[in-house]
Amino acid sequence: MAKINPAYQRLSAGYLFPEIARRTREFQTANPDAQILRLGIGDTTEALPQAAIDGMNEAVAKQGNRDSYIGYGDSEGIAPLREAIADMYKAWGAEVNVADVFVSDGAKSDSANIQSIFSSDAVVAVQDPAYPVYVDSNVMAGRTGLKNEQGQYEGLVYMPCTAENGFFPEIPDQKVDLIYICSPNNPTGTVATRAQLEGFVNYALENKAVIIFDSAYAAFIEDESLPRSIYEIPGARKCAIEVNSFSKTAGFTGVRLGWAIVPTELEAEDAEAGVLHKMWTRRQNTYFNGASIVVQAGGLATLSDEGKKQTGELVSYYMENARIIRECLISVGLTVFGGKNAPYVWMKTPEGISSWEFFDKLLGECNVVGTPGAGFGPSGEGYFRLSAFGHRENIFEATERIKNQLKLG
Ligand code: MLT
């Protein structure tokens, strides 16, 4: 008789973004005339850069010709793309070699799957609030108990990120094995400094812990003094995995392409250099036949000089949206964080209003969808996230409605 994986039953609710979509649909059904503006999920809206389109068109044409047709590729990705990704890191001052690069269908899959190469009793530390995938994937893998009354899964180590600590956590005061860090941060929109990352790298080296560093929003960093990659920090090649993506930079949220860096030097308590790299290779060879050849060609084209110029323009467009949202929220008297060097604006909900209550209020009064901070973890309660990935005209409209229709005390 087949039995189910009992760990799935410990998941306390549905995944955050489908839940928001469900509540939004319900509101739309009840209010059919409402013109809803979506600043909830961080989903890109502008068209793909021309370089990506040209790269993919060329690859499609090659697939249509038996002499240039390619079937299965290496699960690690095509060599030119791996080389271009490694070169990008070098330009950032981060040491990444071609062999470390594993191309994938996105940072979401990698950040969910990477835990599978670690022991099932690994103690996992997460920033709180955090992108829900880090927590949910570890719940599904059986590393936690049930969610307690504080909204925390038993067995996980929550590292609170609040206004008081500038939304970057203290170094754990206990021994943990896996540490998830996202910078620029989703959802708080804050960016870790070099000194803050050094603290975690030193902790990881001393404790033989591994950092899983999500840098999906690195391209949004405008301040040159802020690190774009954990590998800008000495020692990180021994203790950190990094995931990143073409989704937000090149508008590939629907096209799908990302990568993981698993350095050949990476170590763990019971694994010398090379072991984890081999394990991830083995895992990917078994579960994955590589990202689409066509999509990889598109991603590669965005890393050409012309492609970088075009993706830079896209990033600037969304960052201007972030500035407009920030200024609007400040102008109506709200307390605002993030939105600089990151495409998410994180605000404090008005006194006495929970983050889900604010979701209903913003939707009801302004027909604008955002994301309640509590959806990202218990320390997100009392906060709310707005995404800057919309069309400019919708950002203008949403901010006008917030200025004119949102009833604030
Ligand atoms: C978010 O809104 O947090 C992200 O866009 C979701 C994702 O990238 O999967």
Side-chain angles (χ1 to χ4, degrees), residues 114-125:
I114 199 75
Q115 48 73 31
S116 70
I117 58 172
F118 295 96
S119 148
S120 56
D121 61 2
V123 177
V124 175

Side-chain angles (χ1 to χ4, degrees), residues 15-17 40-43 108 131-133 186-187 217 247-248 253 256 344 371 376 385 387 389:
Y15 188 65
L16 176 60
F17 294 105
I41 189 165
D43 194 3
K108 180 175 188 172
Y131 180 43
V133 171
N186 178 12
Y217 302 93
S247 285
K248 315 294 159 126
T253 51
R256 307 305 307 148
Y344 293 123
T371 309
F376 297 101
R385 192 192 80 175
S387 156
F389 286 113

Side-chain angles (χ1 to χ4, degrees), residues 32-52:
D33 295 334
Q35 298 293 314
I36 296 178
L37 297 172
R38 290 174 170 76
L39 278 62
I41 189 165
D43 194 3
T44 47
T45 52
E46 291 299 305
L48 292 173
Q50 191 58 43

Side-chain angles (χ1 to χ4, degrees), residues 292-306:
S292 152
I293 292 287
V294 171
V295 170
Q296 291 190 71
L300 176 60
T302 69
L303 297 179
S304 65
D305 288 344
E306 181 54 28

